[in-house]
């Protein structure tokens, strides 16, 4: 079989070690001859993909080796996906979708479509401020789900309609800023999913459907009947029973009225956990940050948990109350049972403090890195803060731009899809802003690869001349 050369683009780290071993284990000895363009030939039974450039504009160029075997490409794509290598997974899973869409290695189903939809959503997060690219990826997630249902139907397989309806509602609610015109339909999607298959909805979706029903109001009898149906399906009906009590009262209360009633009870001393939890849930729905700030410390006193204390730390940091935030973070970390919980607690405070106090945000991010030195978001936040202190100047001063490129490259190397694309772009931007060879060759006489020092607002840095 002749070698087919295609141009594609993908994952920052290229094939993972496991993927590469899979390819190499199946391949014949590589040819020693070169192609006309000087690129070594791939093993003859593989389709070699060189200098990739079109899988996704935000994924860096790497070399791939695709087989013409569905099982091998499915295995590599699935492994990359499960490891969070979304750029690397995309090429392989798209190939599987195009060649044997419902392949799983066992009973055929739609899992490749679900993984592709999730990959496009992850790539949208990596697209940063590129609104056109953002929208393109979002549109792809919707198109993939429509295609999946058609493929199942064409193969005579059952479609879990409730799952698709729930995810559609979740998607539009998550990205309300991008889809404001779809928000009125979210309730209908959740309700249709419930009517389609009540047993498929877990408590989180049952509670969310109840919240939407209470927000909409409508006929009291209809809301009460729905809440009764939801209670019958719930494993933990605590929230639903509270909603039912409000909805079935002689005077049907809106969430706003119910919140005011609860706040009056709480301020009057009725501070049991159920009252506080219900008030917090409604306050979140109603965007009443003032009530949340009042309620969370009370609930934390009744039920101190890592999650609550870290949430308090994040809110205090966002409000510029840095000492209070640090106290809550330390308390939350003391109750945490894993380094990932400790890391996330400190990072939440760092993100909260970013707008009000960059120095505190830098310190909180440093605290997060004590528990996970490869935490991409913390590395990116610190790099962004340091970047704000570098103002250029002469050649020695502008060497700091190489330091910034190093920091952003380190963040990108973590592979965190939330920041990797932006980090790579920032690294490239600062490399371009650094001194050119024409500038530094004669004065001060640097050479590429030489170690030099510069300074930032957070101290001196040492880097390599490019």
């Amino acid at each position: 079989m002749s070698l087919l050369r295609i141009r594609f683009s993908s994952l920052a780290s290229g094939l993972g070690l496991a993927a590469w071993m899979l390819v190499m284990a199946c391949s014949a000895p590589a040819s020693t001859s070169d192609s006309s363009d000087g690129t070594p030939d791939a093993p003859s039974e593989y389709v070699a993909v060189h200098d990739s450039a079109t899988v996704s504009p935000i994924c860096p160029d790497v070399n791939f080796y695709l087989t013409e075997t569905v099982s091998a490409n499915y295995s590599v794509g699935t492994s990359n996906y499960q490891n969070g290598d979304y750029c690397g997974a995309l090429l392989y899973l798209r190939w599987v979708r195009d060649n044997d869409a419902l392949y799983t290695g066992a009973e055929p189903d739609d899992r490749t479509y679900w993984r592709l939809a999730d990959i496009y959503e992850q790539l949208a997060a990596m697209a940063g401020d590129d609104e056109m690219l953002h929208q393109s990826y979002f549109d792809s997630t919707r198109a993939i789900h429509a295609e999946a249902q058609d493929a199942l139907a064409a193969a005579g397989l059952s479609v879990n309609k409730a799952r698709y309806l729930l995810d559609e509602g979740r998607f539009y609610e998550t990205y309300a800023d991008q889809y404001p015109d779809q928000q009125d339909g979210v309730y209908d999607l959740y309700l249709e999913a419930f009517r389609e298959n009540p047993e498929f909805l877990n408590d989180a979706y049952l509670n969310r459907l109840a919240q939407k029903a209470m927000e909409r109001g409508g006929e009291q009898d209809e809301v009460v009947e729905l809440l009764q149906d939801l209670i019958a399906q719930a494993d933990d009906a605590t929230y639903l029973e509270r909603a039912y009590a409000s909805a079935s009262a002689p005077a049907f209360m809106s969430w706003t009225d119910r919140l005011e009633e609860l706040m009056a009870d709480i301020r009057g001393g009725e501070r049991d956990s159920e009252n506080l939890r219900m008030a917090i849930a409604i306050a979140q729905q109603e965007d009443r940050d003032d009530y949340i700030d009042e309620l969370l410390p009370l609930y934390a006193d009744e039920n101190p948990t890592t999650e609550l204390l870290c949430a308090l730390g994040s809110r205090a940091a966002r409000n510029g109350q840095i000492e209070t935030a640090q106290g809550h973070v330390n308390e939350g970390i003391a109750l945490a049972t894993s380094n990932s919980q400790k890391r996330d607690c400190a990072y939440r405070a760092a993100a909260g403090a970013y707008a009000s106090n960059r120095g505190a945000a830098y310190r909180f991010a440093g605290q997060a890195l004590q528990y996970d030195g490869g935490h991409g978001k913390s590395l990116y936040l610190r790099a962004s803060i340091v970047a704000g202190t570098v103002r250029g100047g002469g050649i020695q001063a502008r060497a700091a731009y190489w330091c910034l490129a190093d920091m952003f490259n380190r963040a990108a190397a973590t592979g965190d899809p939330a920041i990797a694309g932006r980090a790579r772009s920032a690294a490239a931007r600062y490399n371009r802003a650094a001194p050119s060879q024409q500038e530094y060759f004669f004065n001060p006489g640097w050479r590429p690869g030489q170690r030099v020092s510069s300074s930032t607002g957070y101290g001196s840095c040492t880097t390599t001349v490019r």
Side-chain angles (χ1 to χ4, degrees):
M1 175 173 52
S2 63
L3 179 66
L4 172 63
R5 237 174 232 98
I6 313 171
R7 293 182 66 82
F8 285 106
S9 150
S10 195
L11 178 67
S13 60
L15 288 173
L17 179 59
W20 176 252
M21 290 176 67
L22 171 66
V23 171
M24 295 307 293
C26 301
S27 65
S31 168
T32 58
S33 63
D34 285 353
S35 62
S36 58
D37 62 0
T39 304
D41 286 337
S44 60
E45 67 267 44
Y46 285 90
V47 177
V49 183
H50 292 288
D51 301 328
S52 44
T54 59
V55 167
S56 168
I58 61 174
C59 293
D61 294 348
V62 296
N63 291 340
F64 282 103
Y65 292 92
L66 279 167
T67 78
E68 290 187 342
T69 305
V70 175
S71 60
N73 290 333
Y74 178 84
S75 177
V76 175
T78 298
S79 176
N80 285 346
Y81 172 79
Q82 291 172 342
N83 290 326
D85 285 347
Y86 300 113
C87 289
L90 180 58
L91 175 66
Y92 292 92
L93 295 183
R94 282 205 317 206
W95 188 96
V96 172
R97 187 273 312 270
D98 293 340
N99 289 273
D100 192 351
L102 302 179
Y103 175 85
T104 67
E107 294 297 320
D109 64 31
D110 55 352
R111 70 187 68 181
T112 291
Y113 284 106
W114 280 93
R115 287 166 179 163
L116 282 171
D118 184 47
I119 287 169
Y120 283 121
E121 198 168 332
Q122 296 290 341
L123 292 179
M126 293 166 61
D129 297 328
D130 190 330
E131 291 300 326
M132 184 175 296
L133 197 55
H134 234 120
Q135 192 61 53
S136 174
Y137 286 132
F138 282 151
D139 291 345
S140 293
T141 67
R142 298 301 92 209
I144 284 288
H145 275 183
E147 183 182 331
Q149 295 174 77
D150 291 342
L152 288 169
L157 300 175
S158 61
V159 178
N160 187 344
K161 187 70 174 176
R163 184 184 183 192
Y164 283 97
L165 290 166
L166 285 178
D167 190 75
E168 187 174 0
R170 187 274 316 166
F171 176 85
Y172 286 129
E173 190 169 13
T174 300
Y175 303 109
D177 291 345
Q178 283 83 8
Y179 296 94
D181 295 340
Q182 300 287 348
Q183 297 312 299
D184 290 341
V186 170
Y187 168 79
D188 296 325
L189 290 166
Y190 289 155
L191 180 60
E192 186 180 352
F194 179 71
R195 298 303 187 203
E196 181 76 26
N197 186 358
E199 296 181 357
F200 187 75
L201 277 69
N202 60 25
D203 285 354
Y205 273 118
L206 295 173
N207 292 347
R208 190 66 184 129
L209 178 54
Q211 292 168 358
K212 288 289 186 182
M214 295 291 284
E215 289 172 4
R216 288 165 64 95
E219 294 295 329
Q220 182 177 13
D221 291 345
E222 293 179 3
V223 176
V224 169
E225 182 180 355
L226 173 61
L227 290 170
Q228 288 175 321
D229 292 343
L230 298 177
I231 288 170
Q233 292 295 327
D235 293 325
D236 179 359
T238 303
Y239 176 84
L240 297 172
E241 287 168 352
R242 288 276 188 174
Y244 176 79
S246 294
S248 59
F252 180 27
M253 286 187 182
S254 68
W255 276 134
T256 300
D257 292 337
R258 179 60 174 149
L259 178 59
E260 295 300 333
E261 181 182 74
L262 284 168
M263 292 302 297
D265 291 344
I266 290 166
R267 288 164 176 165
E270 298 182 28
R271 297 180 177 177
D272 62 275
S273 293
E274 291 304 321
N275 270 358
L276 289 165
R277 186 166 62 177
M278 173 62 74
I280 290 169
I282 299 174
Q284 288 173 330
Q285 289 301 309
E286 299 297 303
D287 293 324
R288 290 299 303 267
D289 281 350
D290 54 337
Y291 283 171
I292 295 173
D293 286 335
E294 181 178 348
L295 292 165
L296 279 179
L298 298 176
Y299 191 50
D301 287 342
E302 292 288 328
N303 182 36
T305 64
T306 294
E307 177 62 29
L308 267 177
L309 291 164
C310 295
L312 285 169
S314 175
R315 295 182 73 83
R318 190 169 66 244
N319 294 333
Q321 301 166 339
I322 303 305
E323 289 187 12
T324 300
Q326 187 67 71
H328 288 313
V329 168
N330 291 344
E331 291 171 354
I333 286 175
L335 291 178
T337 58
S338 68
N339 279 345
S340 62
Q341 283 183 313
K342 296 174 183 179
R343 173 202 69 198
D344 291 344
C345 189
Y347 175 74
R348 288 174 65 179
Y354 184 77
S356 64
N357 189 320
R358 296 289 172 88
Y362 186 87
R363 291 192 298 275
F364 280 125
Q367 190 173 4
L369 291 168
Q370 292 175 15
Y371 300 106
D372 180 0
H375 187 229
K377 293 185 181 71
S378 294
L379 290 168
Y380 181 82
L381 186 145
R382 280 194 137 195
S384 300
I385 292 171
V386 173
T389 70
V390 176
R391 294 291 183 266
I395 293 174
Q396 189 76 43
R398 285 169 53 220
Y401 289 131
W402 285 321
C403 294
L404 294 176
D406 294 342
M407 295 179 72
F408 281 111
N409 276 326
R410 184 184 174 198
T414 66
D416 186 336
I419 55 87
R422 286 176 290 159
R424 292 186 200 101
S425 296
R429 186 169 65 252
Y430 286 114
N431 270 325
R432 289 193 298 269
S436 66
Q437 287 189 7
Q438 290 83 356
E439 289 179 289
Y440 67 67
F441 183 77
F442 292 106
N443 182 20
W446 294 338
R447 299 291 185 274
Q450 180 180 342
R451 300 289 287 174
V452 297
S453 296
S454 188
S455 61
T456 73
Y458 284 81
S460 62
C461 67
T462 302
T463 186
T464 304
V465 175
R466 275 55 156 178

